[in-house]
Amino acid sequence: MLEKRLPIHIGEAVNRVMMHKKSGTTEWVSINESYGRFLSEDLKATSDVPHFDRAPYDGYAIRSKDTSEATQTTPVTFEVVDHIGAGMVSDKELGPFQAVRIMTGAQMPVGADSVVMFELAKESAIDGINYMSVKKIHKQGENVSYRGEDAKEGEVLVNKGTFINPGIQAMLATFGYDKVPVAKKPVVGLYATGTELLEVNEPLVPGKIRNSNSYMISAQIQRAGAEVRYFGQLPDDFDTCFEAVSNAIGEVDIFITTGGVSVGDFDYLPQIYEKLGAEVLFNKVAMRPGSVTTVAQLDGKLLFGLSGNPSACYVGFELFARPIIRIMLCAEWPHLRKEKAVLNADFPKANPFTRFVRSALSIEDGKLVVTPSGLDKSNIIMSLAGANSLMILPGGTRGFECGDNVEVLMLEDQSGSEWPW
Amino acid sequence: MLEKRLPIHIGEAVNRVMMHKKSGTTEWVSINESYGRFLSEDLKATSDVPHFDRAPYDGYAIRSKDTSEATQTTPVTFEVVDHIGAGMVSDKELGPFQAVRIMTGAQMPVGADSVVMFELAKESAIDGINYMSVKKIHKQGENVSYRGEDAKEGEVLVNKGTFINPGIQAMLATFGYDKVPVAKKPVVGLYATGTELLEVNEPLVPGKIRNSNSYMISAQIQRAGAEVRYFGQLPDDFDTCFEAVSNAIGEVDIFITTGGVSVGDFDYLPQIYEKLGAEVLFNKVAMRPGSVTTVAQLDGKLLFGLSGNPSACYVGFELFARPIIRIMLCAEWPHLRKEKAVLNADFPKANPFTRFVRSALSIEDGKLVVTPSGLDKSNIIMSLAGANSLMILPGGTRGFECGDNVEVLMLEDQSGSEWPW
């Protein structure tokens, strides 16, 4: 009675999914809405920065050659012929021993090639005319920010696929991107299946539990950068599920169900995939939790059949669905970022399958340390709350000890890994 | 002419700001909108989890005592009297040598205290009646998830101030929080000042630059978890700025300006604070960049006068404004998370003031490594793009070398530090 499924290696499973990846497309959004999105084109400098020679300090713009005789005992005196702040442009062209009082960020006057900082300038006034004297030789270019010093027009400054952070927002503004090319968010459809599911606002009744997977996966979809299209929950009834699923698939880019993929008597997803004519890429992965995770494709569209078990559901999403979303967001490294850490607990029990343990990754004295974030029973959602990582414990004949080096997948990170398997 | 300001220590400056902190208030949002917000109340279990005894595997629910004579050679046979999936409840009470076929997640039938997994059950049928036999003694409670095993009603599971991640979304759903108490986002008002500023969609002209600070700070405000109220940009004109600022302050919880706080001839914020009757908490901090950062308070409302220099503006926000926002989001650790890392570059030049260097923090072989994310000229916004951290180089008489241990503040992290100074 028990259907025999052959487990495949996690890397092979991810590989089969990634064969159906689709690249991202561009949409243009206002710069006011671009924070937190992903660039879909390289960000190029549309001008030099700065785009004019400017004063980096408050002081006096002068001709440096006029200071060539200046010494501590024989200061050189300049007549102050103008006074400008940032955003103002002097209409004076500096002659010999003339200076323009200039504020940080203002454009250098014509003829000036150096700025005397206030601290080195001695000011005076005679008959309503302002003077400034300096006791030190200034070199050509001293205290001047030259045009193009920070960036040259046409230069690629940030690569496509990069998460737009506050610094990139500043760059977009600097270069006049009032509309920003960002990766269109893929729309991820979601159905939760299970006769046991109550809505969140329903009171508990015997044998039933509230549907938590939909809310968890919705948040995971958003964290990955995509948009959720939640269709609702379905009882374990073949006809109801088949009709709902076949109607929903066409409306989304990626389709996820939770529950119904195991070999239980009321697990209908395998038959639904069959009736839809979808190609099942795998239905058993050598991993815990989530070994029954099933992925199918229908006309190139990926259908993720995640387990109804919250932990398995969570892990299945992160390993298989997230990279597909990230590729559609133009990511160069679509997989969860993998790093090494020191294990801070014992795991004496060996497991034939690779385990993904929900974990709290912390930093102690500059080193990554990882601890399970709760009891590791696969039905305990409590341990999900404190999880910022998944510890990878390879399957084998031995357990693991406190102090062992292990690999971890970081859940709250935008940088990603190229191919962690 | 040059106003003398006395620099205070960074920790003292933060301290003066924090004396005016205000705690957060609650708003109730739909669970569909709670991901990414901060809990304003402790999350308590509203029921036991599971709230009924349940089968953690597919199999047969039995009375364990009926297996007391089972051996490899003398299997015990049970009559299968019912068949239930998750969400169904059997109306049978198990008698001796009776079993209910049960799927993962279903409620244990009355009388049953153990589950025989499919792998250990041999099935048969005679005259339309199903039987199951088992060769192994099962203990009371074997393969049963008992009520309250994962969480007890009333237990505090997540503390207030916690960032709501996908795992917490699952918990909120499990416990029926269709409305979630989250910290109301403080509204942060923002004006950019500077005659040199162009709008993002304006072409460049001599002496002027596009306003990038507003977009950068807006993203920083959002990253910190607050709401932006952007009022626009202002020229360096006292009357215009005074009127705009005094009208705006009343509309927001926290008020930020960029530019106009230095000692330049067109820096009017100091006079504006004076005319408003605001108490200046400090106007000079022993740090680079951002030494001119000024913070004032007016009737308990904080007015952050950030430098117009992009790097100084960025750092000033993160050090002074972010923790105030986080306190209003009920954070226990409102300051940027501080960790140790190994410096991967030379900084030969000593600096009397503590430097905050925009840096790329990475992980090599499980250890934090930090590198400046660009040339560290304070007017180069390019280096902001790659920054995920601020390296702290304490002021003093010596420089720093590759391989030195340094402290870093992590910019893209929700966990925070209690008091890093």
Side-chain angles (χ1 to χ4, degrees):
Chain A
M1 288 208 71
L2 194 63
E3 178 196 341
K4 272 285 170 210
R5 294 180 177 182
L6 282 181
I8 64 170
H9 183 265
I10 168 81
E12 168 64 16
V14 173
N15 211 18
R16 289 189 193 175
V17 175
M18 295 305 277
M19 285 178 59
H20 298 277
K21 71 186 180 192
K22 284 180 190 152
S23 48
T25 55
T26 291
E27 70 176 336
W28 293 81
V29 300
S30 158
I31 187 172
N32 296 310
E33 280 143 27
S34 63
Y35 168 63
R37 301 292 297 268
F38 295 83
L39 286 173
S40 66
E41 294 179 12
D42 291 345
L43 194 167
K44 279 187 194 166
T46 56
S47 67
D48 290 342
V49 174
H51 71 102
F52 50 85
D53 299 344
R54 59 194 284 274
Y57 303 110
D58 296 341
Y60 289 93
I62 55 158
R63 309 185 328 161
S64 60
K65 61 185 173 191
D66 294 339
T67 65
S68 60
E69 309 283 310
T71 69
Q72 283 299 316
T73 50
T74 57
V76 177
T77 299
F78 292 80
E79 182 191 353
V80 181
V81 296
D82 205 355
H83 178 194
I84 57 170
M88 306 176 197
V89 179
S90 177
D91 56 6
K92 299 285 197 307
E93 176 171 349
L94 283 196
F97 304 100
Q98 291 188 327
V100 167
R101 184 173 168 99
I102 193 168
M103 297 295 116
T104 305
Q107 178 166 324
M108 293 292 286
V110 177
D113 64 1
S114 180
V115 170
V116 179
M117 291 166 74
F118 275 161
E119 293 88 327
L120 299 181
K122 185 160 185 296
E123 291 149 348
S124 56
I126 301 168
D127 295 339
I129 298 171
N130 289 313
Y131 296 94
M132 176 282 292
S133 59
V134 59
K135 296 177 171 180
K136 185 182 154 289
I137 292 172
H138 278 62
K139 284 176 293 196
Q140 192 182 352
E142 192 163 343
N143 300 330
V144 178
S145 290
Y146 280 104
R147 177 177 180 142
E149 187 176 277
D150 295 353
K152 298 274 181 227
E153 185 175 339
E155 211 180 315
V156 170
L157 300 168
V158 185
N159 293 324
K160 80 182 246 190
T162 302
F163 177 84
I164 299 176
N165 66 15
I168 294 175
Q169 285 286 101
M171 295 171 68
L172 289 166
T174 297
F175 294 113
Y177 287 85
D178 61 331
K179 297 281 179 196
V180 181
V182 300
K184 195 169 185 314
K185 293 184 179 193
V187 177
V188 183
L190 177 62
Y191 257 125
T193 76
T195 299
E196 76 277 23
L197 300 180
L198 298 168
E199 299 284 356
V200 173
N201 59 2
E202 289 184 287
L204 295 177
V205 295
K208 302 217 176 196
I209 59 172
R210 295 196 189 94
N211 168 15
S212 60
N213 284 342
S214 296
Y215 296 92
M216 180 181 78
I217 290 287
S218 292
Q220 289 176 276
I221 291 168
Q222 292 171 70
R223 179 167 68 184
E227 196 177 308
V228 185
R229 177 84 193 277
Y230 178 52
F231 291 106
Q233 55 197 50
L234 296 167
D236 294 316
D237 173 78
F238 179 82
D239 292 330
T240 310
C241 286
F242 177 79
E243 198 186 325
V245 166
S246 51
N247 288 336
I249 290 173
E251 297 183 31
V252 297
D253 299 308
I254 293 166
F255 186 73
I256 293 177
T257 50
T258 64
V261 286
S262 190
V263 293
D265 301 342
F266 308 97
D267 287 330
Y268 294 120
L269 260 296
Q271 290 158 254
I272 288 168
Y273 290 142
E274 195 181 337
K275 187 167 173 186
L276 285 168
E279 175 200 6
V280 172
L281 306 180
F282 55 84
N283 60 16
K284 183 97 177 169
V285 187
M287 66 185 233
R288 293 250 184 266
S291 64
V292 298
T293 306
T294 300
V295 182
Q297 67 90 10
L298 181 63
D299 303 328
K301 191 171 289 181
L302 284 163
L303 317 178
F304 292 91
L306 304 178
S307 167
N309 168 303
S311 302
C313 187
Y314 190 98
V315 170
F317 175 87
E318 295 294 338
L319 298 184
F320 303 114
R322 182 191 191 275
I324 288 295
I325 290 171
R326 285 295 172 122
I327 286 281
M328 294 184 82
L329 294 172
C330 305
E332 198 175 352
W333 298 288
H335 304 279
L336 286 173
R337 179 176 177 181
K338 186 164 84 169
E339 296 292 351
K340 288 181 186 144
V342 175
L343 177 57
N344 207 12
D346 288 332
F347 267 87
K349 201 182 158 197
N351 199 306
F353 284 176
T354 295
R355 287 179 73 169
F356 293 90
V357 184
R358 296 173 301 287
S359 299
L361 186 65
S362 59
I363 302 167
E364 284 179 14
D365 206 24
K367 297 182 192 76
L368 297 190
V369 174
V370 66
T371 318
S373 57
L375 295 166
D376 199 57
K377 298 185 83 165
S378 62
N379 56 351
I380 301 185
I381 59 158
M382 302 312 142
S383 67
L384 291 172
N388 60 9
S389 57
L390 298 171
M391 191 194 311
I392 309 176
L393 297 182
T397 52
R398 66 173 196 93
F400 296 86
E401 285 174 10
C402 187
D404 282 354
N405 287 304
V406 294
E407 289 182 318
V408 290
L409 298 173
M410 295 170 72
L411 295 165
E412 300 281 354
D413 193 275
Q414 297 299 347
S415 49
S417 279
E418 198 176 6
W419 180 252
W421 307 114
Chain B
M1 289 207 72
L2 194 64
E3 180 197 341
K4 272 285 170 208
R5 295 180 177 182
L6 282 180
I8 64 169
H9 183 266
I10 168 81
E12 169 64 15
V14 174
N15 210 20
R16 288 189 193 174
V17 175
M18 296 304 278
M19 285 178 62
H20 299 276
K21 71 186 180 191
K22 284 180 189 152
S23 47
T25 55
T26 291
E27 69 176 337
W28 292 81
V29 299
S30 158
I31 186 171
N32 296 310
E33 279 143 28
S34 63
Y35 168 63
R37 301 292 296 268
F38 294 83
L39 286 172
S40 67
E41 294 179 11
D42 291 345
L43 195 167
K44 278 186 194 167
T46 56
S47 67
D48 290 341
V49 173
H51 70 101
F52 50 86
D53 299 343
R54 60 194 282 275
Y57 303 110
D58 296 341
Y60 290 92
I62 56 159
R63 309 183 331 158
S64 60
K65 61 184 172 193
D66 294 339
T67 65
S68 61
E69 309 283 312
T71 69
Q72 283 299 316
T73 49
T74 57
V76 176
T77 299
F78 292 80
E79 183 192 351
V80 179
V81 298
D82 204 356
H83 178 193
I84 57 169
M88 306 176 196
V89 178
S90 178
D91 55 5
K92 300 286 197 306
E93 177 170 349
L94 283 196
F97 303 100
Q98 290 186 329
V100 167
R101 185 173 168 97
I102 192 167
M103 297 295 117
T104 306
Q107 178 167 324
M108 293 291 287
V110 176
D113 64 1
S114 180
V115 170
V116 179
M117 291 166 73
F118 274 162
E119 294 87 326
L120 298 181
K122 186 160 183 295
E123 292 150 346
S124 56
I126 301 168
D127 296 340
I129 298 172
N130 290 314
Y131 295 94
M132 178 280 292
S133 60
V134 59
K135 295 177 170 179
K136 184 181 155 291
I137 294 172
H138 278 63
K139 285 176 293 197
Q140 191 182 351
E142 193 163 340
N143 300 330
V144 178
S145 289
Y146 279 105
R147 177 179 180 140
E149 187 176 278
D150 296 351
K152 299 270 182 233
E153 185 174 339
E155 210 180 315
V156 171
L157 300 168
V158 184
N159 293 325
K160 79 182 246 190
T162 302
F163 177 84
I164 300 177
N165 67 16
I168 294 175
Q169 285 286 102
M171 294 173 68
L172 290 166
T174 296
F175 294 113
Y177 287 85
D178 60 330
K179 298 280 180 198
V180 181
V182 299
K184 195 167 184 315
K185 292 184 179 194
V187 177
V188 183
L190 177 62
Y191 256 125
T193 77
T195 300
E196 76 277 22
L197 300 180
L198 298 169
E199 300 283 357
V200 173
N201 59 2
E202 288 185 287
L204 295 177
V205 295
K208 301 216 174 194
I209 59 172
R210 295 197 189 93
N211 168 14
S212 61
N213 284 342
S214 296
Y215 297 92
M216 181 181 77
I217 290 288
S218 292
Q220 288 177 277
I221 291 168
Q222 292 172 69
R223 179 168 69 184
E227 195 177 308
V228 184
R229 178 83 193 276
Y230 178 51
F231 291 107
Q233 53 197 50
L234 295 166
D236 293 317
D237 172 79
F238 179 83
D239 292 330
T240 310
C241 286
F242 178 79
E243 198 186 326
V245 166
S246 52
N247 288 335
I249 290 173
E251 298 183 31
V252 297
D253 299 309
I254 293 167
F255 185 73
I256 293 178
T257 49
T258 65
V261 287
S262 190
V263 293
D265 300 342
F266 308 98
D267 287 330
Y268 293 121
L269 260 294
Q271 291 159 253
I272 289 169
Y273 291 141
E274 196 180 336
K275 187 167 173 185
L276 285 168
E279 175 200 7
V280 172
L281 306 180
F282 55 84
N283 59 17
K284 183 97 175 169
V285 187
M287 66 185 231
R288 294 252 185 265
S291 64
V292 297
T293 306
T294 300
V295 183
Q297 68 88 13
L298 181 64
D299 302 329
K301 189 170 292 181
L302 285 163
L303 316 178
F304 293 90
L306 304 179
S307 167
N309 168 302
S311 302
C313 186
Y314 191 98
V315 170
F317 175 88
E318 296 294 337
L319 298 184
F320 303 113
R322 182 190 189 276
I324 288 296
I325 290 172
R326 286 293 171 124
I327 287 282
M328 294 184 83
L329 294 172
C330 304
E332 196 175 352
W333 298 288
H335 303 280
L336 285 174
R337 178 175 179 183
K338 186 165 85 169
E339 296 292 352
K340 287 181 187 144
V342 174
L343 177 57
N344 207 12
D346 288 332
F347 267 88
K349 201 181 157 198
N351 199 307
F353 283 176
T354 295
R355 286 180 75 170
F356 292 89
V357 184
R358 297 173 301 287
S359 298
L361 186 65
S362 58
I363 303 167
E364 284 178 16
D365 205 25
K367 296 182 194 75
L368 297 190
V369 174
V370 67
T371 318
S373 57
L375 294 167
D376 198 57
K377 298 187 81 169
S378 62
N379 56 351
I380 300 185
I381 59 159
M382 303 311 141
S383 66
L384 292 171
N388 60 9
S389 57
L390 297 171
M391 190 194 311
I392 309 176
L393 297 182
T397 53
R398 67 172 195 93
F400 295 86
E401 285 173 11
C402 187
D404 281 355
N405 288 303
V406 293
E407 290 183 318
V408 290
L409 298 173
M410 296 169 71
L411 295 165
E412 301 282 351
D413 193 276
Q414 298 299 349
S415 48
S417 279
E418 198 175 7
W419 180 252
W421 307 114

